[in-house]
Amino acid sequence: MAVSNSGQIVFAVGDPRADMLLTAIDSIGDLVRQFTRRGAGPNEMRSVGFVSFVGDSLTAVDNEQARLITFDEQLRPLSMQSIRFGSRALSATERGVISFIPRELGGPILELTPLTQYKSAEPVLEGEDTVISRIVATRGQFERDGPPFAVSEGQWVLGDGIRYELVFYDSIGDERARRTRILPDRTRSEAELTRDSARLSSALRFRGPDGKITEIAGVRERLAKLPSELLPHFDSHGLAGDSRGRVWVVGSLHDSTFIDVWKDTTFVGRRVLACSDPGSSVSPNGLYLALMCRAEDENSDADVELQLYKVEEPAAP
């Protein structure tokens, strides 16, 4: 999901069976346009793994075909170019798309693919001693999708969600500062524990080809560890930069969502919102914040609800 400076929201549908690849709605929820050109031809996509607004243009990445397509706000294709196979886009700026390359000699790297065609990609953070390697090693899910990452006014920011540590780099990859918020370890809330226990329990046994019920190795041990397992305060989509030089950290706090804002390398403040389990559907840009939350109303027709917030700047003293 991506939100524009005008409050327009674009949803990426990752299910290959879906008819719509991209759907755009305005800030009051009215449909703007849908993109349905599925295929391998010019300006067509088979899947959508990443979307982000850069100015008034939308950048979308098709991981399956390793291609990047730029759209206008009406979801009309403007340009198309290749991106490296196996990469996972993390952020998009005027300079290009920054992607995570998980398997490189010397360790995982972040790579910049320019939005201007015919320019070569270049590494922006690399080397086996970088924070990237440590975050990937401690969180197995990042081995493919990459660590929390943001770009804000010429600086890169990497995040370690377990420790709540932010590492700030300048635009050439030199480390500027490290900042940590001292918070209690995060474990599952009662609602999260109930939900995840039910999911694992349903996968505990399966019927084999011989008709016998077989228990899957390791699931029972994982169930026992759920109450004490450490969870990240924020995940791989929990960092974003805005045009005012701020970094937004979006994560889970019990059954709510916290929003931390940093200016340069200084913590500014926190807000807590009534949003449960937003997952990867988080999109702040400094003017708007869009969240896809789990619906708490049992009588609701939908499992999720969209929350859109307009960011108000404090009055000048």
Side-chain angles (χ1 to χ4, degrees):
M1 185 169 66
V3 60
S4 74
N5 291 334
S6 64
Q8 177 173 298
I9 301 170
V10 171
F11 301 89
V13 181
D15 190 337
R17 299 166 296 179
D19 293 329
M20 280 74 70
L21 289 161
L22 297 170
T23 296
I25 62 172
D26 62 22
S27 59
I28 61 173
D30 290 338
L31 179 67
V32 174
R33 192 180 177 91
Q34 292 176 315
F35 178 78
T36 60
R37 294 171 59 178
R38 185 184 298 279
N43 294 325
E44 293 181 341
M45 307 183 77
R46 285 181 175 161
S47 65
V48 184
F50 171 84
V51 287
S52 178
F53 276 99
V54 179
D56 293 331
S57 299
L58 179 79
T59 296
V61 176
D62 181 345
N63 289 330
E64 187 176 339
Q65 300 186 98
R67 60 173 50 170
L68 184 159
I69 298 181
T70 301
F71 300 84
D72 65 13
E73 281 196 291
Q74 297 296 314
L75 294 185
R76 292 177 295 225
L78 301 174
S79 64
M80 184 182 76
Q81 63 192 94
S82 297
I83 196 167
R84 201 199 299 203
F85 269 107
S87 64
R88 289 293 185 271
L90 300 178
S91 182
T93 71
E94 290 79 4
R95 290 182 59 194
V97 172
I98 295 110
S99 301
F100 174 68
I101 313 297
R103 291 176 179 83
E104 284 286 287
L105 293 175
I109 68 170
L110 299 186
E111 184 176 79
L112 173 70
T113 301
L115 293 178
T116 304
Q117 290 184 331
Y118 311 119
K119 284 191 175 181
S120 300
E122 59 184 80
V124 292
L125 288 176
E126 59 182 331
E128 58 186 8
D129 295 326
T130 65
V131 182
I132 305 173
S133 298
R134 170 166 61 82
I135 297 173
V136 171
T138 57
R139 292 291 291 167
Q141 71 190 79
F142 298 147
E143 289 182 1
R144 187 189 69 165
D145 295 330
F149 176 80
V151 178
S152 175
E153 283 197 344
Q155 69 177 0
W156 322 110
V157 185
L158 277 172
D160 182 340
I162 292 285
R163 300 165 54 171
Y164 197 128
E165 180 182 48
L166 302 181
V167 185
F168 296 83
Y169 301 84
D170 61 23
S171 58
I172 62 173
D174 291 334
E175 186 176 322
R176 295 180 58 221
R178 297 191 182 202
R179 297 290 184 265
T180 303
R181 290 206 68 198
I182 306 302
L183 301 172
D185 288 341
R186 181 177 171 246
T187 55
R188 285 175 173 80
S189 66
E190 184 175 343
E192 289 174 318
L193 184 60
T194 299
R195 183 186 68 237
D196 293 346
S197 295
R199 288 174 180 171
L200 274 177
S201 296
S202 66
L204 182 60
R205 298 179 179 86
F206 73 100
R207 189 178 297 277
D210 57 0
K212 294 182 179 179
I213 301 297
T214 303
E215 184 168 303
I216 301 175
V219 174
R220 191 173 295 279
E221 290 78 5
R222 178 79 195 287
L223 275 168
K225 294 178 181 178
L226 283 183
S228 60
E229 184 179 27
L230 293 183
L231 300 178
H233 296 283
F234 56 90
D235 231 315
S236 48
H237 297 274
L239 290 189
D242 68 24
S243 58
R244 293 184 171 93
R246 298 174 297 199
V247 174
W248 296 66
V249 183
V250 183
S252 296
L253 181 68
H254 306 299
D255 293 317
S256 302
T257 294
F258 72 79
I259 313 293
D260 286 354
V261 179
W262 296 72
K263 175 65 176 176
D264 193 24
T265 61
T266 302
F267 175 67
V268 176
R270 167 175 284 199
R271 292 288 184 271
V272 178
L273 305 177
C275 173
S276 179
D277 196 23
S280 61
S281 297
V282 173
S283 184
N285 67 359
L287 299 176
Y288 288 89
L289 167 67
L291 301 167
M292 189 71 76
C293 310
R294 189 173 70 248
E296 299 298 332
D297 184 359
E298 295 180 355
N299 299 318
S300 173
D301 293 333
D303 294 330
V304 295
E305 65 179 16
L306 173 66
Q307 297 183 7
L308 178 66
Y309 297 86
K310 187 173 183 180
V311 180
E312 298 288 350
E313 298 297 325

